Amino acid sequence: MQQSGKLIFFCGKMAAGKSTLARKIAQREDAILMVQDELLTTLFPGEIADIPDFIKYSSRLRDALTPHIVSLLCKGISVVLDFPGNTQNQRAWFRQLFESASADHELHYVDVPDELCKRQLRERSKVLPAGTAFTSDAEFDAITAYFQPPADDENFNIILHRRA
């Protein structure tokens, strides 16, 4: 009987370093890497103007990818998902994936102070092409208000990455 792959996913505030970590882990694990931002930009160019648009299109993307990800896991292929797992509701989708495939999982929690995230956002903004939207400190604060660190009762296999 073939062993299931492993689902690897992330929790952490905006600009905490989740995407960088996702790429490193995908390479180390020889896993398939799926990046939500890249997929949304390619599939829905110019169609995501606000948070309701993001919710609508990201939900469609998750619905479309669910059977594919479960199939990969069932075939023994590990998958790294660079998708937000910053609320219990978002993490419920990851649970659905690995439980459907009877697969192992890792939740990498990137715990970084707000000020470091904001500094990294400002640095990131310096290299954006002219006219590209960037995230302000106020927008960071508004989005971060919804952040929920993983709780013990969610029963995830958590790997903590803490930076000061």
Side-chain angles (χ1 to χ4, degrees):
M1 186 168 146
Q2 188 169 359
Q3 182 176 338
S4 294
K6 183 185 340 177
L7 182 68
I8 301 166
F9 52 102
F10 303 85
C11 176
K13 296 173 186 170
M14 182 183 304
K18 298 179 303 296
S19 293
T20 301
L21 182 60
R23 285 190 300 275
K24 288 178 183 176
I25 292 172
Q27 185 174 19
R28 181 187 77 213
E29 298 285 325
D30 195 25
I32 300 295
L33 173 64
M34 295 184 188
V35 181
Q36 178 180 263
D37 290 345
E38 292 173 4
L39 292 165
L40 289 174
T41 300
T42 301
L43 293 169
F44 309 109
E47 296 180 51
I48 301 175
D50 54 25
I51 291 175
D53 288 343
F54 174 80
I55 292 168
K56 177 173 88 172
Y57 290 115
S58 63
S59 177
R60 286 183 185 176
L61 180 61
R62 283 191 313 271
D63 290 347
L65 287 176
T66 294
H68 180 63
I69 294 167
V70 170
S71 177
L72 289 169
L73 292 169
C74 287
K75 291 182 183 304
I77 300 169
S78 292
V79 178
V80 175
L81 290 178
D82 185 4
F83 281 59
N86 296 336
T87 66
Q88 287 188 356
N89 188 46
Q90 289 172 329
R91 291 188 293 271
W93 178 58
F94 299 119
R95 178 169 301 286
Q96 174 193 354
L97 294 171
F98 69 76
E99 286 183 351
S100 294
S102 298
D104 289 335
H105 74 279
E106 293 177 356
L107 168 55
H108 290 261
Y109 175 27
V110 184
D111 186 14
V112 177
D114 288 359
E115 286 311 310
L116 178 55
C117 292
K118 289 177 181 180
R119 186 168 58 246
Q120 290 178 173
L121 275 173
R122 287 189 290 274
E123 288 300 315
R124 199 188 284 176
S125 296
K126 290 179 183 177
V127 297
L128 291 173
T132 302
F134 65 93
T135 304
S136 68
D137 284 2
E139 290 168 322
F140 172 88
D141 291 336
I143 291 168
T144 299
Y146 294 98
F147 180 80
Q148 299 171 321
D152 289 341
D153 65 354
E154 290 180 273
N155 296 312
F156 288 115
N157 299 328
I158 298 172
I159 298 172
L160 178 63
H161 304 266
R162 186 167 277 142
R163 292 179 39 216

